[in-house]
């Protein structure tokens, strides 16, 4: 029960924080797109700082949940951040969710949950430095960077641009979750000295900064509904891939399990489509505004 409450608390903080960040990021200068300067400009905005504080709190609660519970339970619960985001976005926008909105939310959350529960990843501890670890980490990181590069070139189709950045950030956050799990094990074995003597906590910080720049650029560019669902779907799937790939977790591959996993992925896609077409999320400035100056909210 403690793990469940921690994970739900993390999801709530993350979802609310994402909405506040997007509300502020839409007023950032376009010249800061996918640049660290974007963070320096946004830090002047109280609403963005409140969103970041909520996100950091959510990440801390998520790290505690990952340290105490199995990733099979924690990741699906973290994916419910979209439910909390939609609740706040609905209040800010005044839009009714309606059947399509709720259907999209539950399809997304249920699809991710079905995929993870059917696969039942379990057990094992990773061996730092083994080839599989570096290979999978390299593939996840490279995929995220390639998606971000494509998004940077794709400046005419807002929906595609935001979705690509959302997926890229989600992949990085999933990798970050896997490294957080390893860091928790290192801390349990050797305390702060044992943790800080490894590379994992520093990699977590670097990944967090990269993902943050991608997320804020997506929020600056387009409505929240175009980026957050993609991020929410990519993060747990990337985390599970890392868990099975180099943390030693096992995934069920029976006929029934594979069928449920495929159904879960299909539900995730359907949920993203429904949420992406729903007007409840904050509209953002989008490409319609030729000039968007930084303004405190």
């Amino acid at each position: 029960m403690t793990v469940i409450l921690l994970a739900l608390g993390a999801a709530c903080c993350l979802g609310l924080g994402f909405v506040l960040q997007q509300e502020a990021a839409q007023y950032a200068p376009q010249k800061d797109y996918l640049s660290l300067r974007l963070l320096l400009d946004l830090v002047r905005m109280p609403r963005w700082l409140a969103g970041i504080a909520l996100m950091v709190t959510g990440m801390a609660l998520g790290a505690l949940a990952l340290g105490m519970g199995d990733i099979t339970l924690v990741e699906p619960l973290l994916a419910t951040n979209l439910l909390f985001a939609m609740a706040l976005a609905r209040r800010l926008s005044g839009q009714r969710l309606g059947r399509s909105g709720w259907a999209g939310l539950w399809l997304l959350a249920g699809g991710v949950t079905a995929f993870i529960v059917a696969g039942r990843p379990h057990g094992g501890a990773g061996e730092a430095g083994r080839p599989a670890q570096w290979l999978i980490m390299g593939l996840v990181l490279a995929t995220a960077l390639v998606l971000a590069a494509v998004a940077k070139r794709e400046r005419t189709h807002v929906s595609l641009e935001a979705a690509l950045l959302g997926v890229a950030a989600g992949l990085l956050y999933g990798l970050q979750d896997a490294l957080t799990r390893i860091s928790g094990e290192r801390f349990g074995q050797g305390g702060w000295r044992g943790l800080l003597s490894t590379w994992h906590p520093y990699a977590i910080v670097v990944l967090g900064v990269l993902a943050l720049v991608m997320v804020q650029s997506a929020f600056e560019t387009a409505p929240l509904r175009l980026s957050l669902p993609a991020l929410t779907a990519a993060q747990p799937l990337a985390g599970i891939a890392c868990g099975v790939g180099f943390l030693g977790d096992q995934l069920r591959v029976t006929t029934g399990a594979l069928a449920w996993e495929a159904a879960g992925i299909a539900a995730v896609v359907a949920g993203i489509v429904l949420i992406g077409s729903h007007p409840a999320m904050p509209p953002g400035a989008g490409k319609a505004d030729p000039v968007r100056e930084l303004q405190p909210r």
Side-chain angles (χ1 to χ4, degrees):
M1 182 58 67
T2 301
V3 173
I4 292 175
L5 292 177
L6 284 172
L8 288 176
C12 179
C13 291
L14 289 171
L16 300 182
F18 283 142
V19 174
L20 294 180
Q21 290 170 45
Q22 196 276 335
E23 282 282 290
Q26 62 179 310
Y27 292 95
Q30 279 289 295
K31 61 183 176 62
D32 291 345
Y33 180 80
L34 283 180
S35 168
L36 289 175
R37 292 192 305 270
L38 177 60
L39 302 184
L40 297 177
D41 283 332
L42 289 172
V43 78
R44 296 161 45 197
M45 305 182 69
R47 179 167 292 194
W48 187 80
L49 290 175
I52 288 295
L54 282 169
M55 187 181 74
V56 171
T57 302
M59 287 182 170
L61 293 174
L64 289 174
L66 286 168
M68 297 174 60
D70 191 89
I71 197 170
T72 308
L73 174 63
V74 175
E75 288 287 8
L77 293 174
L78 290 179
T80 63
N81 74 79
L82 196 60
L83 301 177
F84 297 100
M86 282 289 282
L88 178 58
R90 175 185 177 276
R91 183 177 182 85
L92 293 175
S93 67
Q95 294 280 349
R96 294 173 58 88
L97 288 181
R99 292 182 180 179
S100 64
W102 284 113
L105 289 173
W106 289 114
L107 279 172
L108 178 59
V112 173
T113 301
F115 177 80
I116 295 174
V117 171
R120 290 186 191 176
H122 59 277
E127 299 178 8
R130 68 179 184 176
Q133 177 178 356
W134 296 111
L135 176 61
I136 295 173
M137 286 180 54
L139 287 174
V140 173
L141 180 59
T143 301
L145 294 178
V146 168
L147 290 176
V150 173
K152 190 170 185 179
R153 294 176 61 88
E154 184 60 53
R155 300 309 307 276
T156 57
H157 299 89
V158 174
S159 58
L160 177 59
E161 179 184 344
L164 289 175
L165 289 176
V167 171
L171 292 175
L172 293 183
Y173 281 135
L175 180 56
Q176 188 183 52
D177 287 342
L179 295 182
T180 298
R181 176 172 156 179
I182 295 177
S183 296
E185 294 172 355
R186 298 292 184 270
F187 181 77
Q189 295 169 0
W192 286 108
R193 177 176 296 181
L195 173 62
L196 296 179
S197 64
T198 66
W199 57 270
H200 302 95
Y202 310 105
I204 288 172
V205 173
V206 173
L207 290 173
V209 172
L210 287 175
L212 186 61
V213 171
M214 293 178 186
V215 168
Q216 301 310 315
S217 296
F219 290 169
E220 175 192 29
T221 301
L224 192 65
R225 63 179 180 269
L226 297 179
S227 55
L228 188 55
L231 186 157
T232 303
Q235 179 176 352
L237 296 180
I240 290 297
C242 292
V244 173
F246 63 82
L247 292 179
D249 289 352
Q250 301 296 315
L251 189 66
R252 293 180 65 204
V253 292
T254 64
T255 303
L258 290 174
W260 276 105
E261 290 161 21
I265 293 175
V268 166
V269 174
I272 290 174
V273 171
L274 286 175
I275 294 173
S277 61
H278 200 279
M281 286 294 189
K287 299 295 185 186
D289 290 341
V291 178
R292 291 183 291 174
E293 296 296 335
L294 193 66
Q295 300 173 0
R297 296 281 282 178

